Amino acid sequence: MTSAERRVEPLALPGVLSAAEAEETARAIAAEQRADGAIPWFGGHHLDPWDHVEAAMALDTAGRHDRAAAAYEWLARHQNADGSWYAAYAEGDAARPTDLGRETNFCAYPAVGVFHHYLATGDEAFRRRMWPVVRAAVEFTLDLQQEGGQLGWRRDPDGTPVADALLTGCSSVYQALRCALALADLAGSPQPDWELAVGRLGHAIRRHPERFLDKSRYSMDWYYPVLGGALRGQDARARLAADWDAFVVPGLGVRCVRTNPWVTGGESAELALTLWAVGMERRAAEILRSIGRLRAEDGLYWTGYVYADDAVWPTERTTWTAGSVLLAVAALAGDTPTRAVFGGAGLPRGLDTDCCA
């Protein structure tokens, strides 16, 4: 690794991940990355744009900026004419899409990664090169916004818009739109329509659960309105407290599904990141410590653990699970770019709208 690829300070969190372990995890993610920049879930599996970005952001936290930039360049080269990306590509091969649907949260999320990379590197040429990519992706995404502020979750392969909205996906889009607005400010390109869209979306997330499909059995629907930044302060803490016992298994991590005896590394790490964002750092570190059993010898993480059977399941180690762990560690360890995109204090808020006033 060249000196340009290294962080000034090693990524580490005492009691959770040593600098050597964090470096091993970053190296393992990079080893799964294709030469063209694509980051599939693992060798032989598919790539989806959201998890591709999550893994790229993790590479930036560990100072592997060249590899992260290659991941974003892959997106730039393979963006569809309408600003979207397909939902899945076989083994990260852009010539072999396996799901021709185009999902709004998948297409919006590169804005988070691009802004994160810019904050990590200060690379103005990269920012200018990626701005048209982000702008086109946001326009695709907002074309599916509904009257109530929520976003239809995808366009089907034949182009039909799906009106059904997902709370987790929309919460992720909320974060992405705020990062896109920050990039617009840097580009000197005001986007008043985006500002209005952010306000409407945030209001829908905070006040109108009836506008979203009921996916409350999944932990992501529980914590994502907080992780995405739509909820903060007492409202965020109250939401997390309400279902804490339903989803958190002490000493093991976070259930993916309320009723299943299965804790997952990705959801656990994301909850840790969520807890950090609302000032609950001690609990965040506890959650990260609890998933140490999922760490494999190569530094990647198993997807989940079925504690009723004392079994790792499925038998796969995904780049995005490892990526989510590094991002949570980075936030708790004080990494400024990661704190900026997930804390959100300095991100544009858009135009507040309140249809309930």
Side-chain angles (χ1 to χ4, degrees), residues 8-76:
V8 175
E9 297 180 2
L11 179 63
L13 186 64
V16 174
L17 210 63
S18 70
E21 289 170 331
E23 170 61 20
E24 182 180 50
T25 297
R27 184 168 58 247
I29 294 173
E32 296 291 346
Q33 187 176 26
R34 289 165 43 115
D36 63 0
I39 310 177
W41 283 24
F42 52 85
H45 203 62
H46 77 261
L47 172 153
D48 73 70
W50 199 100
D51 290 311
H52 170 84
V53 170
E54 184 92 334
M57 292 171 69
L59 292 175
D60 265 328
T61 68
R64 292 176 176 261
H65 303 308
D66 289 351
R67 298 316 306 156
Y72 297 120
E73 297 290 355
W74 185 92
L75 290 170

Side-chain angles (χ1 to χ4, degrees), residues 204-223:
I205 293 168
R206 288 186 288 269
R207 299 289 298 277
H208 292 284
E210 75 282 359
R211 295 178 183 171
F212 302 91
L213 294 178
D214 182 6
K215 300 289 183 179
S216 56
R217 59 196 289 261
Y218 295 97
S219 61
M220 294 177 78
D221 257 32
W222 164 52
Y223 63 77

